């Protein structure tokens, strides 16, 4: 692999964020695109890499499980 670049985008509920609706204010969907420059890599190798990333990504796992968020504010 010579180069890797990633783009992440999402569908965001702006009405909830601005208080214009009582529904949640989070993302409804997150999409990731990975651009890989890997001369000579086979389709099978890239497919295997994708499967391994999906299986072992701590960020992907956390998002799919809906890990609780904890917020603390400390005045200084």
């Amino acid at each position: 692999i010579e180069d890797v670049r990633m783009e992440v985008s999402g569908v965001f509920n702006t009405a909830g964020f601005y208080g214009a609706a009582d529904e949640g204010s989070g993302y409804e969907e997150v999409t990731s695109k990975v651009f890989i420059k890997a001369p000579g890599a086979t389709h099978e190798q890239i497919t295997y890499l994708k499967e391994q990333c999906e299986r072992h990504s701590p960020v992907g796992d956390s998002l799919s499980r809906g890990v609780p968020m904890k917020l603390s504010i400390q005045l200084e």
Side-chain angles (χ1 to χ4, degrees), residues 38-68:
T42 65
H43 176 73
E44 290 78 16
Q45 290 171 320
I46 299 301
T47 299
Y48 176 77
L49 177 62
K50 179 181 180 285
E51 290 169 355
Q52 293 303 304
C53 290
E54 290 173 332
R55 182 175 292 135
H56 299 289
S57 168
V59 174
D61 182 60
S62 297
L63 289 171
S64 66
R65 288 187 295 118
V67 174

Side-chain angles (χ1 to χ4, degrees), residues 4-16:
V4 176
R5 180 173 54 90
M6 186 171 194
E7 292 180 3
V8 179
S9 62
V11 177
F12 188 78
N13 180 348
T14 57

